Amino acid sequence: GSLVTVRMARRMAAPLEALTRDSERIGRMELQEPVSEEAQNAPWEEVYELARAQETMRHQLLYGRNALAQANVYLEAKVAERTQEALQQTALLQALLDVIPNAIFYKGADTRFLGCNQAYEAAFGVGRANFIGKRVLDLDYLPEAARRAFQDEDEAVIRSMGRVVRREPLTFADGQVHHTLYSVTAFANPDGTPGGLIGVIVDVSDL
C-alpha cells in the first residue's frame, strides 16, 4: 500500500511541478513556449483543466501583446504622419502671413505672443523668436504706459471675445512715429472657449 501510494504521489507531483514551472514562466511574460505536455497530458482532470487554462491564458497574453505592439506601431506612424501634416500646414500659414505687407501678430488666451509675420518684424526691428511667449508688458521697445494699456485691452478683448479698431500712433524701428490703423480681434477654440487674439497694424502715414 505504501509503495502504491508513493508511486501515485509521484505521478501526481510531476505534472503539478511542471504546472508550477509553467506558471512562473508565464508570470515572467516568457510566452513563446507552450505549457508543458506533461501538465497538459496529466491523467487527473483537475490538473488537465488547469494546464489547458494556462495554455489559453498564454495564447491570449502572447497574441494580445503582439496586437498591442502592432497597434502601437500603427499609432506612432499615424502620430508622425499627423505631426508632419500639422508642420506643413503651419509652414503654409506662416508663408501666407509673411507675404502680407501689413504687420500681423497673434496671441494665446494668456495674452502671450504666439507669433507674427515678417512685416511686424521689419516694422519694430525685432525677431519673432525673441518675443514668442512674452506679453506686451515685456516688450521694451514700447513705452511703459502704452504697454500697460495694450495689456489691459488684450485681456478685455479676449475675455469678451470682442474686437477693437482705432487709429493709433506707433513708433517704428526707424524712430519715426507712424500713423496706423490698429485692430485686435479675439478668436475662440473649437469648444467655444477664448483662444486668443489676432492683431493687424496698417501703416497709413502716406495717406
Side-chain angles (χ1 to χ4, degrees), residues 150-165:
F150 282 129
Q151 179 65 34
D152 292 341
E153 182 178 76
D154 288 349
E155 294 175 3
V157 167
I158 293 173
R159 183 171 56 251
S160 64
M161 296 295 294
R163 185 185 188 204
V164 172
V165 181

Side-chain angles (χ1 to χ4, degrees), residues 49-127:
E49 291 297 334
L50 282 173
R52 296 306 303 165
Q54 275 196 352
E55 179 64 9
T56 300
M57 180 175 64
R58 184 189 71 85
H59 269 273
Q60 291 175 344
L61 289 172
L62 176 62
Y63 294 112
R65 187 170 66 177
N66 290 342
L68 182 60
Q70 292 175 357
N72 285 336
V73 171
Y74 174 80
L75 288 175
E76 288 173 0
K78 279 297 181 183
V79 168
E81 179 183 347
R82 295 291 184 265
T83 301
Q84 185 62 32
E85 291 175 358
L87 291 174
Q88 291 174 348
Q89 291 176 355
T90 300
L92 174 60
L93 290 174
Q94 188 62 56
L96 291 173
L97 288 175
D98 283 340
V99 300
I100 297 174
N102 301 318
I104 297 175
F105 61 91
Y106 41 101
K107 303 179 180 182
D110 57 359
T111 73
R112 296 185 182 276
F113 282 94
L114 298 175
C116 69
N117 66 349
Q118 289 180 353
Y120 185 96
E121 291 179 307
F124 294 101
V126 296

Side-chain angles (χ1 to χ4, degrees), residues 107 110-113 120 131 133-155:
K107 303 179 180 182
D110 57 359
T111 73
R112 296 185 182 276
F113 282 94
Y120 185 96
F131 70 86
K134 295 181 179 179
R135 300 174 301 167
V136 69
L137 290 173
D138 305 318
L139 305 183
D140 54 10
Y141 55 82
L142 293 174
E144 184 177 354
R147 282 182 271 168
R148 293 188 179 278
F150 282 129
Q151 179 65 34
D152 292 341
E153 182 178 76
D154 288 349
E155 294 175 3

